[in-house]
Amino acid sequence: MSQEKNSKQDNEQTKYHDESLEPVSPYTIMAKLFAHVSKAVVDRFGEEGREAVREGVRTFGEERGRDIARRAAADGQPNDIENYLTHYDMGRSDLFEYETQYHPMEIEQNFTKCAFGDQWKKDGMEEYGILYCQMIDPAIAKGYNPNFEVVHDDYLLREGNCHFRFQMKNPAESKTKDTENK
């Protein structure tokens, strides 16, 4: 009888577990913040607001890319394709699932789980999250090295996975002045 009682209590606790009472990751908080700010800007300013959000993400991304290049330089490494992910600025937790393949002059990544995208989907905020997704990785790559480009042809928010191809153009010119001077 005590085993039945414990089982019933466990079921009731599971049944009434409120996820919103648990601490959340910084990724969750940032995803929610971005979506709500973006929604307010788009609601108020329409397409101009949408473009303003994209521009803000672009400048933020380029700044992050320059910081990644500085991190590589501080480690005595050029800001080439080989040093991009090893000096990347954002750690990956188990809230992200992805595969990375290295090809000559290209890094290919496929994400099947993303803390940001998963949160935007959960909240029904895909329309605003995609503004981040469309801009951030190309901007980071450009800030890291002006010859680094990103083809982002699938989005978790639309196709269910994010597929990236990070490509270095003009490899002979791939080092920026910052790394050449160090």
Side-chain angles (χ1 to χ4, degrees):
M1 183 154 129
S2 66
Q3 189 176 19
E4 276 183 39
K5 186 176 179 182
N6 286 342
S7 178
K8 186 176 179 182
Q9 286 175 338
D10 289 344
N11 286 340
E12 286 181 18
Q13 286 176 343
T14 302
K15 182 178 173 182
Y16 296 110
H17 178 75
D18 185 349
E19 208 175 87
S20 69
L21 300 177
E22 299 294 324
V24 296
S25 79
Y27 300 113
T28 298
I29 291 170
M30 294 312 298
K32 287 178 169 285
L33 172 65
F34 180 85
H36 285 281
V37 169
S38 298
K39 181 179 183 326
V41 170
V42 171
D43 286 353
R44 177 172 271 183
F45 300 106
E47 192 55 37
E48 282 186 51
R50 200 176 301 280
E51 288 306 313
V53 169
R54 285 186 183 109
E55 177 61 14
V57 172
R58 184 192 64 75
T59 58
F60 171 65
E62 286 183 6
E63 179 181 312
R64 284 182 60 195
R66 287 188 297 273
D67 288 345
I68 295 167
R70 282 192 283 280
R71 190 182 285 74
D75 199 24
Q77 301 298 317
N79 61 335
D80 58 14
I81 197 166
E82 290 83 18
N83 289 297
Y84 182 63
L85 292 180
T86 57
H87 292 89
Y88 201 71
D89 65 342
M90 192 173 89
R92 299 280 192 234
S93 73
D94 59 354
L95 298 174
F96 295 87
E97 290 178 2
Y98 60 96
E99 290 182 4
T100 302
Q101 295 180 347
Y102 291 87
H103 307 286
M105 302 312 292
E106 180 178 282
I107 300 169
E108 183 177 10
Q109 287 193 304
N110 191 58
F111 282 75
T112 54
K113 186 176 175 185
C114 168
F116 298 113
D118 292 343
Q119 189 62 51
W120 292 323
K121 285 178 86 167
K122 183 178 179 181
D123 293 344
M125 297 293 250
E126 296 96 320
E127 175 183 350
Y128 308 102
I130 198 78
L131 301 175
Y132 183 85
C133 297
Q134 291 169 333
M135 299 301 294
I136 194 63
D137 289 288
I140 293 171
K142 183 178 180 182
Y144 175 72
N145 185 314
N147 291 307
F148 207 23
E149 296 178 1
V150 177
V151 175
H152 189 176
D153 51 2
D154 288 331
Y155 293 88
L156 188 126
L157 295 174
R158 292 196 296 222
E159 287 84 18
N161 68 295
C162 274
H163 181 254
F164 301 94
R165 290 177 30 229
F166 298 87
Q167 303 171 333
M168 188 64 74
K169 305 295 180 190
N170 303 321
E173 302 172 16
S174 68
K175 295 175 182 71
T176 65
K177 291 178 184 173
D178 278 350
T179 23
E180 289 173 353
N181 291 333
K182 300 215 181 252

